Amino acid sequence: MTPHKTLLALALLLSPALALAHPGHGSSGLMAGLAHPLFGLDHLLAMLAVGLWAAQQSGAARWALPATFVGTLLLGGLLGFAGLQIPLMETGIAASVLAFGLLVAVAIRLPMAIALGLTAVFALTHGIAHGLELPVQTSPWGYALGFVAATAALHAAGYAVVRLLPQAATPLVRVAGGATALAGAWLLAS
C-alpha cells in the first residue's frame, strides 16, 4: 500500500469519528469532553507543549509534569462544574500557551518545585475553563473523563514526538516551541 493510499484510508476511517466528536452532539459527555481540548487552539497547543517540554526533561520530571497537569486539570474541571470562576481566565490560558512554548523553545530545565507549580497553575486555569464549558444535557463525569483522556493523549503525543525523533531533529522541536509561543502572544493580543 502506498503512503498516499494509507493516508486516504486513515482519513476515511477517522472521518465518522471526527464528525461525531464536536461539542454539543447529542448527550455524550465523553465525546464532548474528548473534543474540547482537541478543537480549541489554545488548549491544543498548551497540552502538546507540556508533552514536548516533559520529554526535554530528565528523571522524574518527564512523568511528573504531565501527571501534575492532568491531575490539576481534573481538579480545576470539578471546580468549574461547581461554578467557580477566576478573573482573567482566558488571559491565563493564552499565557500558558506562550509560557509553555517558550519553555520548549529554550529547552529549559527548571527546579522541580517551580516547574510543577507553574504547570499546576496553568492546568488549573485550563481545567476551570473546561468545567465551566460543560455542555448542557451531558454527563459531567463522562465529560471529565473525555477531557482528561484527550489531555493525556496530547501530552503523550508531544512527548512521543521528542523521544522518537532523531537527535538531529531537536532544533525542529525548539522551532515548534517558538511557533507555539508566537501563537500564545497572538492569543494574548487578541
Side-chain angles (χ1 to χ4, degrees), residues 5 19 29 65 83 94 96 104 117 122 132 142 146 159 165 174 183:
K5 287 181 181 177
L65 291 171
S96 75
V104 171
F122 286 135
L132 289 171
Y159 187 90
L165 282 176
R174 290 181 170 211

Side-chain angles (χ1 to χ4, degrees), residues 25-56:
H25 183 81
S27 60
S28 172
L30 178 64
M31 294 305 285
L34 285 168
H36 194 265
L38 298 174
F39 292 112
L41 181 65
D42 48 359
H43 297 295
L44 178 72
L45 291 175
M47 292 171 197
L48 282 171
V50 168
L52 294 172
W53 187 43
Q56 292 174 325

Side-chain angles (χ1 to χ4, degrees), residues 176-188:
T180 300
L182 286 174
W186 175 78
L187 288 167
L188 279 170

Side-chain angles (χ1 to χ4, degrees), residues 72-78 80 122-132 147:
T72 311
L73 175 85
L74 179 58
L75 174 64
L78 297 175
F122 286 135
L124 188 67
T125 305
H126 281 269
I128 290 171
H130 287 321
L132 289 171
F147 70 69

Side-chain angles (χ1 to χ4, degrees), residues 64-155:
L65 291 171
T68 296
F69 195 101
V70 169
T72 311
L73 175 85
L74 179 58
L75 174 64
L78 297 175
L79 292 171
F81 291 161
L84 177 73
Q85 295 193 24
I86 57 174
L88 304 172
M89 183 176 61
E90 292 300 324
T91 302
I93 291 171
S96 75
V97 176
L98 173 63
F100 286 130
L102 287 174
L103 291 167
V104 171
V106 297
I108 193 165
R109 292 183 177 162
L110 297 173
M112 182 76 92
I114 294 171
L116 293 178
L118 182 69
T119 300
V121 166
F122 286 135
L124 188 67
T125 305
H126 281 269
I128 290 171
H130 287 321
L132 289 171
E133 295 172 6
L134 172 68
V136 177
Q137 299 180 345
T138 59
S139 160
W141 297 112
Y143 182 67
L145 177 63
F147 70 69
V148 165
T151 296
L154 288 168
H155 292 336

